[in-house]
DNA sequence: CGCGAGTTTGAGTTCATTCAATTGCGGTGG
DNA sequence: CCACCGCAATTGAATGAACTCAAACTCGCG
C-alpha cells in the first residue's frame, strides 16, 4: 500500500512557503493509497504522522461515550490533518476515515517534522499561523451554530466552496454522503434535506451531489447578515480543519 | 492608568516554562488597571498586544452584522487573550470588555513577543502547544453544542471550575452576570435560569453568584456521558480561550 | 424486474427561544 | 426607616426550529 513519495512539492501553504521543509521531509514521507471506509487515524491513538491529502475525501470525527458522532472536519485535496503530530506524546483527537472510493495521502512522520520545526524559525511561525487559523475556524463555526439557522449554515458552507467568486452563477459537486455532510454542518440528514428546499428560494438547486447556485449574491444576502466574519469569510478553509 | 510592571513572574505556563521570556519581556510589559465596562480590545482592531489577566474578569465577544453577540471567552486570573498579537498584521477577532469592578491586565507588546519567538525554539514549541490547546477547546465546545443539552453544558462548565477535584462537595463563586454567562454557554438567560433548576435534581444549588455542588460524582454522571473528552476534561481551560 | 442503500417526505415531539409578566434586590430619596 | 425605583433574574405560556420515527420514494445494480 505504501509507494514512493512524489517528487513534486504538494500544494499547501506550509510547503510552498517553506521549500526547505519539503526538501528535508520528502525522504521520510510516505505516500499511501487508501480506499472507501479505511480508517487512517483513530481517536485516541498516538499521533505518529501529520497527514496531507493529495486526493480524495476524508472524514474527521469523534465519538461520545453514549454513541453520538460529531464530524469535526471534511478534508480534500491540499488539506492537512493530524496536527497533534506536531507535539510530543500527543494523540489524535479524532478518527479519520476515507469517504471517497480512493484517497491518496502523504504521511509525514511526527518526529521528522518536529525535528525540523526546532531548526527553522520561519517554519515555526508558519505553523503557528496555521494553528491559529484552525482556532479561528473553530470559533467561527461555534458562533455560527448559535446565530445561524440550519439553512444559513448550509448556505455558508456552499459559499466557502465558491472560493473567491462573489457573484454570478456556479455549479458545485460534493461527493459526500448526505448524512455525513449533515453531521459536519451540525444537523440531522432529514434537516439537511429540508434545508436544501429552503435554499431553492434563494436560487440554489440541488440534484444528487451536484449543486447549482444561480446568484451567489442572493445567497450571500441570505447567509452573511448573521456572521461576524462577513466579507472575509471567503478566506476561510472549507474543511473545518 | 499605566503603572510599572510587577517584578514577580505571572503564573501562566507560557512564563513558568520559559523563564527567559519573562526576563526579556518584563521591561516592555505594561501593567494596566481597567474598570467595569472598559473595553480593552475591539473586534477588528490591529492586534498590538498580547494580554495576560492578573485579576478580574474579561468578556471576549463578537458581534454579527444583524446585532447578535457571541461570547467566545471568559477570562480571569492567569488567562491569556489576544493571541492574534503573535502574528504580523493580524487584528483581534473579538472585543474584550471588563466585567468586574476592576481588572489588572498585563499588556505585552506584539513586536516584543514576536521578536522573542524567533530566537527561542522552546518558546515556539510552547506557543504552538498553547495555540493547539485553543483549537481543541473550541472543537470540544463545538461538539458539546451538538450533543449536549443546555443543562449538561452548564454542568460541564461547573465541573471545569471544580478543577481536578473529582468527588465530594464544592462551593463556587461566579461573579459574572447571568446573561453573559448564558451567552458564553450558548443559550439565553431564561434558559440558563431554567437549567439551574434542572441541575438541582443532581445536587446543584444556585443562589446569587454562589453555587454549591453536593456530589461532584453525580454531576459528572449527568454530564460526561455525552462528551468525547470524558475523563480528560478536567485538563481543559475554563475560559474558552 | 426487484432489491437495497441512500434520500426525501410526513407527522408528532422535544428542547430551547420569544415575549410578557413577576419577583427579588441594592440603591436612593423622602 | 421605609417606600419606591430600576435592573437583573426568574417564571409562565406560546411559538418555533430541529429532532425522531416511520413511511415513501429514487436510483444504481445484479
Amino acid at each position: 500500500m505504501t509507494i514512493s513519495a512524489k517528487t513534486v512539492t504538494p500544494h499547501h501553504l506550509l510547503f510552498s512557503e517553506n521549500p526547505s521543509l519539503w526538501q528535508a521531509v520528502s525522504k521520510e514521507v510516505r505516500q499511501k493509497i487508501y480506499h472507501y471506509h479505511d480508517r487512517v487515524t483513530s481517536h485516541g491513538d498516538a499521533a505518529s504522522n501529520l497527514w496531507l491529502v493529495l486526493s480524495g475525501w476524508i472524514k474527521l470525527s469523534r465519538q461520545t461515550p453514549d454513541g453520538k458522532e460529531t464530524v469535526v472536519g471534511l478534508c480534500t485535496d491540499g488539506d492537512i490533518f493530524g496536527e497533534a503530530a506536531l507535539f510530543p506524546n500527543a494523540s489524535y483527537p479524532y478518527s479519520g476515515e476515507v469517504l471517497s472510493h480512493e484517497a491518496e495521502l502523504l504521511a509525514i512522520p511526527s518526529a521528522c517534522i518536529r525535528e525540523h520545526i526546532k531548526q527553522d524559525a520561519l517554519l515555526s511561525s508558519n505553523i503557528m499561523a496555521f494553528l491559529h487559523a484552525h482556532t479561528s475556524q473553530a470559533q467561527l463555526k461555534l458562533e455560527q451554530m448559535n446565530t445561524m439557522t440550519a439553512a444559513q449554515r448550509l448556505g455558508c458552507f456552499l459559499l466557502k466552496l465558491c472560493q473567491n467568486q462573489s457573484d454570478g452563477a456556479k455549479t458545485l459537486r460534493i461527493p459526500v454522503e448526505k448524512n455525513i455532510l449533515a453531521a459536519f454542518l451540525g444537523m440531522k440528514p432529514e434537516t439537511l434535506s429540508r434545508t436544501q428546499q429552503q435554499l431553492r428560494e434563494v436560487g440554489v438547486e440541488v440534484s444528487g451531489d451536484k449543486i447549482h447556485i444561480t446568484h451567489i449574491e442572493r445567497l450571500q444576502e441570505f447567509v452573511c447578515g448573521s456572521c461576524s466574519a462577513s466579507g472575509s469569510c471567503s478566506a476561510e478553509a472549507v474543511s473545518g480543519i
Side-chain angles (χ1 to χ4, degrees), chain A residues 67-81:
Chain A
K68 291 180 187 167
E69 183 184 56
T70 315
V71 175
V72 297
L74 287 179
C75 298
T76 185
D77 308 20
D79 289 326
I80 283 181
F81 67 93

Side-chain angles (χ1 to χ4, degrees), chain A residues 6-238:
Chain A
K6 283 185 182 173
T7 49
V8 297
T9 307
H11 62 294
H12 187 278
L13 278 181
L14 229 44
F15 292 107
S16 56
E17 293 194 354
N18 298 277
S20 71
L21 171 64
W22 179 243
Q23 212 173 12
V25 138
S26 57
K27 294 181 239 16
E28 304 207 43
V29 143
R30 288 281 166 275
Q31 186 181 348
K32 299 192 179 196
I33 308 286
Y34 288 95
H35 298 94
Y36 186 63
H37 273 177
D38 282 350
R39 175 169 286 215
V40 180
T41 64
S42 289
H43 183 180
D45 279 9
S48 48
N49 290 290
L50 182 70
W51 299 91
L52 172 66
V53 182
L54 298 175
S55 76
W57 287 80
I58 310 285
K59 173 187 80 176
L60 308 181
S61 62
R62 301 161 151 244
Q63 297 267 138
T64 59
D66 57 6
K68 291 180 187 167
E69 183 184 56
T70 315
V71 175
V72 297
L74 287 179
C75 298
T76 185
D77 308 20
D79 289 326
I80 283 181
F81 67 93
E83 331 78 63
L86 298 170
F87 310 101
N89 307 118
S91 50
Y92 294 120
Y94 42 68
S95 302
E97 192 187 305
V98 178
L99 298 177
S100 46
H101 181 63
E102 188 178 292
E104 293 174 275
L105 301 185
L106 224 49
I108 306 165
S110 139
C112 163
I113 195 154
R114 282 215 305 277
E115 192 50 43
H116 222 69
I117 287 172
K118 275 190 205 148
Q119 295 160 12
D120 184 339
L122 176 64
L123 176 60
S124 310
S125 92
N126 284 330
I127 297 248
M128 281 186 242
F130 169 74
L131 292 171
H132 185 240
H134 283 202
T135 308
S136 307
Q137 270 299 311
Q139 283 181 354
L140 188 59
K141 210 174 156 184
L142 201 46
E143 174 188 306
Q144 294 180 347
M145 287 300 301
N146 282 323
T147 60
M148 286 182 164
T149 64
Q152 287 176 314
R153 292 204 301 276
L154 173 58
C156 179
F157 176 72
L158 295 178
L159 286 174
K160 278 188 281 190
L161 285 170
C162 290
Q163 312 274 24
N164 347 11
Q165 192 175 335
S166 64
D167 58 353
K170 179 127 189 169
T171 302
L172 301 167
R173 211 179 138 251
I174 308 179
V176 171
E177 288 164 36
K178 294 274 162 89
N179 64 337
I180 291 168
L181 181 57
F184 178 60
L185 295 174
M187 62 187 84
K188 301 290 152 187
E190 295 94 327
T191 305
L192 175 60
S193 184
R194 296 180 226 273
T195 273
Q196 294 171 4
Q197 293 165 22
Q198 290 180 50
L199 288 188
R200 274 215 279 268
E201 284 160 28
V202 289
V204 176
E205 298 295 329
V206 180
S207 75
D209 61 358
K210 276 183 271 312
I211 299 177
H212 183 73
I213 303 168
T214 52
H215 301 287
I216 293 185
E217 317 86 303
R218 268 178 77 193
L219 187 55
Q220 280 174 340
E221 198 182 322
F222 175 73
V223 169
C224 300
S226 310
C227 175
S228 68
S230 56
S232 62
C233 62
S234 56
E236 299 289 339
V238 178

